[in-house]
Each structure stands twice: as structure tokens, then as C-alpha cells.
Amino acid sequence: MADTNGKPKIDLDEEMKDLERFLDEDAEPIAEPKEETDDDAVVALQTENEDLKDRLMRAMAEAENQRKRGERDRRDAEIYGGRKLGRDLLPVYDNMKRALEHATDEQRAANKGLFEGIELTQRELISVFAKHQIVPIVPEVGVKFNPEIHEAMYEAPVPGVDKGCVAQVMNEGFMIAEKLLRPAQVGVSSGSPT
């Protein structure tokens, strides 16, 4: 068809329909899910299975480590939980020991009941210490000074005692299980005087 000027007449409705058809043809089709072959599916499942096994093994190892840590912490708390109380009771033990060591025979005779009570209390305290794995460290005069379990209170020349050895024990030390509660307080010989 042509209009009066000799130009072809454009039918807008027909053009719109053609444009819509063109657009529909050029539209990207929705991608269909890719079909996996049986081999691809097996490989994917094996990979997933290995991954899940690895994660399970790691989770089980972590749970076992956590259990062991908890058990060790429980044991340590049971053994070392009374460490502070034990350390606080050591001066009580020292004072009882000093009272018994420095009492004269006359004082013991005049206050027999008092000294028996102190001795009984000291024995009971030692028994409680032993029950909680608190053991004394009593170094002998002449043994080599060990800074891990001894505390040097002084160093002086002492006849008959080798250099670097314990010359005097001032206070006993104590261990709780394998850990030091208090070092033994000792005097150390710097050798024989010249």
C-alpha cells in the first residue's frame, strides 16, 4: 500500500506485532538444568562423601581433645585446688613446730595439756596435708643447694660444709603433688673460712 505521495503506507498495528514477534524470538531462553551423566553424579557424590567424612573425623578429634582437656583440668583442680589454702596453712604449721621446739622442760611440765593439744593438732594438720598430697621438703645439712626447691636466706662460710651446700634449714618446704608449694628456706655455705 502507498499513500498519496507515493510512499508506502505503514500499518502501526502490524509493525508492533512484528516487533513483539522479533523480541520474543531474540529473548534468551531460560536455561534448562544441565543433565548430569551417571559418572558425573557418582563423582560428585564421592567428593561430597569424602568431604563429610573429613569433617566428621575432625569433629570427632576435636570432641576427643575437648574430653581429654576437661579430664585433665578436673584432675588438676582436684589435686591443686587446695593449693592456696595449703599455702595459707603453712605458717600455722610453722608456728606449732616452733612452739614445740622452743618449749623448755619446765614449760612442758607446767602446761602438759596445752602442749599435748598442740602436738595433736600438729599431727592432725600433717595428716590432712598428706591426704591432699602436701608433703614436706626437709633438706639435710650438707646436700647440694637446689634453687628449684630451696630458697637461700643467706650465704656464709661454714666450717665442715662444702661451698654451695645447705648449711642450715630454717623452714621446711612443701610440695603439692609434683608442684612446689613453698621452697625450703635454707642457709648456704660459701665454703670453709680461711
Side-chain angles (χ1 to χ4, degrees):
M1 272 196 194
D3 64 4
T4 54
N5 295 337
K7 294 183 180 170
K9 185 176 178 182
I10 299 175
D11 184 5
L12 290 177
D13 289 335
E14 193 60 38
E15 286 295 320
M16 277 306 279
K17 288 179 185 173
D18 287 342
L19 184 59
E20 285 175 3
R21 274 193 298 266
F22 175 77
L23 288 176
D24 284 344
E25 290 173 3
D26 283 347
E28 291 185 27
I30 296 175
E32 293 286 324
K34 186 178 178 181
E35 290 186 29
E36 295 183 2
T37 64
D38 288 341
D39 291 340
D40 291 341
V42 169
V43 168
L45 288 173
Q46 285 175 338
T47 303
E48 183 181 2
N49 188 22
E50 290 300 317
D51 181 52
L52 290 174
K53 278 184 186 177
D54 181 57
R55 289 171 54 194
L56 176 65
M57 294 305 287
R58 288 175 189 272
M60 288 174 62
E62 179 62 29
E64 181 64 17
N65 289 341
Q66 195 73 358
R67 185 193 66 74
K68 287 178 182 176
R69 245 187 322 272
E71 180 65 25
R72 184 181 61 241
D73 290 348
R74 186 197 60 75
R75 263 194 330 272
D76 286 351
E78 188 177 298
I79 293 171
Y80 303 113
R83 192 172 184 182
K84 187 172 180 347
L85 178 62
R87 191 177 299 125
D88 290 345
L89 288 174
L90 293 180
V92 175
Y93 171 82
D94 294 337
N95 290 334
M96 284 186 211
K97 185 175 180 184
R98 276 190 217 105
L100 293 171
E101 287 174 350
H102 292 92
T104 63
D105 290 338
E106 294 92 33
Q107 290 172 329
R108 285 182 183 269
N111 299 299
K112 187 177 178 182
L114 174 66
F115 283 97
E116 285 178 4
I118 292 172
E119 287 171 350
L120 287 171
T121 305
Q122 186 184 32
R123 277 196 296 261
E124 183 63 27
L125 186 58
I126 291 169
S127 172
V128 170
F129 280 173
K131 181 179 174 183
H132 294 281
Q133 300 181 33
I134 299 173
V135 294
I137 302 169
V138 187
E140 303 263 335
V141 172
V143 300
K144 183 100 173 113
F145 175 78
N146 181 349
E148 292 181 6
I149 59 172
H150 301 145
E151 178 182 6
M153 302 307 288
Y154 69 86
E155 184 176 14
V158 178
V161 181
D162 294 335
K163 182 178 181 174
C165 292
V166 173
Q168 178 187 6
V169 178
M170 299 154 100
N171 267 330
E172 296 174 21
F174 286 88
M175 301 278 286
I176 182 167
E178 297 94 32
K179 292 188 180 181
L180 185 66
L181 192 58
R182 179 181 80 184
Q185 297 174 335
V186 298
V188 180
S189 174
S190 60
S192 294
T194 54

